[in-house]
Amino acid sequence: MAHDVHIIGGGLAGSEAAWQLAQAGLKVRLSEMRGASEDKGGEMTPAHQTDGLAELVCSNSFRSDDSDKNAVGLLHDEMRRLDSIVMRAGEKARVPAGSAMAVDRDVFSAEVERTLSNHPNVEIVRERVDTLPDAGLTIVATGALTARTLAESIVQATGEDRLAFFDAIAPIVHRDSIDMDICWVQSRWNKRTEASNAEGDYINCPMTKEQYYAFHQGLMDGEKTEFREWEKDTPYFDGCMPIEVMASRGVETLRFGPMKPVGLDNPRDTTPEFPQGRWPYAVVQLRQDNKLGTLWNMVGFQTKLKHGAQVELFRTIPGLENAEFARLGGLHRNTFLNSPEVLDRQLRLKAAPHIRFAGQVTGCEGYVESSAIGLVCGMMVAAELAGERWEGPPRTTALGALLSHITGDAEADSFQPMNVNFGLFPPLHEVKKKQRKEAYTDRAKAEFGAWLSALERVPA
Ligand SMILES: Cc1cc2nc3c(=O)[nH]c(=O)nc-3n(C[C@H](O)[C@H](O)[C@H](O)COP(=O)(O)OP(=O)(O)OC[C@H]3O[C@@H](n4cnc5c(N)ncnc54)[C@H](O)[C@@H]3O)c2cc1C
């Protein structure tokens, strides 16, 4: 079948993009390497177990389905309003899970595959694609475990250091949950660049010797997650060592690494000799993570500690007692682009604009987020082929916030995969903290509705 768009990768994002395009009347070739014969490069990823489309590789949950108080629940709602195949199939495969949305993974995958196979505009081709096509509208949705050959081709197109093979995520904290009566803003030695904030670039959390030693012990004792078999020979240890591994090299090691206190004058600890403030014994530094300044990441704190252990330990850090985490630390195998740098606002590769990327490979994180980016990518291509000007969803919506983050609002230097969360939304400081979640979702729903009706008015 001659096609209008070639989609590489029949996971969540690729399936969602294929559905959106097919429903818009466009012919799609959907290439999936799982299930292909040997001469077509048939290959499994280390995580997938079947050759079904949209296989869920780990948990069977799409997380919260509460669209009034939860950012991912809000994203569900927006996807439903855009006729998402993932949400449709998810409903059919739904199993009881309280306020979360969980699915029977086999029913779910079979439903996506059945729907797409039966669609007259979709041709599912079992083949591995090894190079980025030179021409023709293409969506690359090959996920966290993109086949090696294609990854090499992507590196050639984007540059050596624009495609990561592992994520090394330090925890990210909501700015308004940091106690600024304890912490202060300053760059080490007050160093500035043109991009610097007025007061300095880091939020500093000071530690006494006793606090530091207790914290070090906590890192040693905290429960860690094990590497999967295929993650064990990870090459990131040189550049991105987990904090607990560094800590295990000696009790003082961190004070010469990410917890180094030199050049940081604590203004709440002044003496006549040090009127600007003394250096603390150790310090935890947070650096701005998004342009809105609502999210800050804990510098050098990538970790394999279990999530519960991270929350417990990191809340013992002075100033972070009430920290709310937009995401916790982790280290995984994960192929993803430095999207804020290499993609434009429409997910097009700046160096080769006939190619778009969608799903986890763009640096969003999670089943729902990956599907949502696949969905919106499909809509963008459909608009382009219809000769329509694309107006994306507003930043105040879950889809718009996530899309803006990965296509330019995130800091490119520290870019790591991100779940949808309210820290990505333009802040509502004027609303009381307790009412903020509802305020975010109310605003999002209203503005999403307005965007959708404007979109529907555009002639097909
Ligand atoms: C081990 C693991 C566990 C995860 N667990 C969770 C979880 O519990 N919850 C959660 O929300 N998220 C989880 N994620 C993150 C993420 O949501 C999933 O990776 C999700 O499947 C991403 O969707 P996607 O469509 O971008 O990629 P995928 O669903 O992985 O789809 C990519 C598809 O592309 C195919 N492909 C790859 N290369 C080629 C090629 N060259 N040619 C043709 N086809 C190709 C693959 O076979 C695959 O089918 C996990 C990720 C990993 C790696």
Side-chain angles (χ1 to χ4, degrees), residues 84-162:
S84 152
I85 188 175
V86 165
M87 285 295 128
R88 272 190 190 208
E91 265 340 309
K92 289 206 172 160
R94 199 164 180 153
V95 295
S99 61
M101 179 173 182
V103 302
D104 176 314
R105 68 183 72 238
D106 297 324
V107 175
F108 172 75
S109 165
E111 179 60 21
V112 172
E113 181 144 348
R114 186 192 62 76
T115 310
L116 289 179
S117 316
N118 289 340
H119 203 296
N121 290 341
V122 181
E123 183 186 15
I124 300 167
V125 185
R126 300 289 176 167
E127 62 182 358
R128 190 183 72 207
V129 177
D130 289 334
T131 47
L132 291 176
D134 292 332
L137 284 180
T138 305
I139 297 176
V140 180
T142 45
L145 304 167
T146 296
R148 187 182 50 80
T149 41
L150 185 65
E152 281 166 10
S153 172
I154 297 172
V155 167
Q156 273 184 10
T158 58
E160 191 70 35
D161 51 357
R162 303 292 191 278

Side-chain angles (χ1 to χ4, degrees), residues 8-14 31-34 43 45 47-48 54-55 57-59 61 63 127-130 141-147 149-150 228 230 333 358-361 365-371:
I8 309 173
L12 289 156
S31 299
E32 170 51 56
M33 70 180 183
R34 290 176 293 117
E43 201 182 304
T45 77
H48 289 81
E55 179 185 332
V57 287
C58 185
S59 124
S61 172
R63 318 200 311 276
E127 62 182 358
R128 190 183 72 207
V129 177
D130 289 334
T142 45
L145 304 167
T146 296
T149 41
L150 185 65
R228 288 161 212 259
W230 42 274
R333 180 162 161 200
Q360 182 98 3
V361 73
E365 167 76 34
Y367 298 149
V368 182
E369 289 84 343
S370 298
S371 310

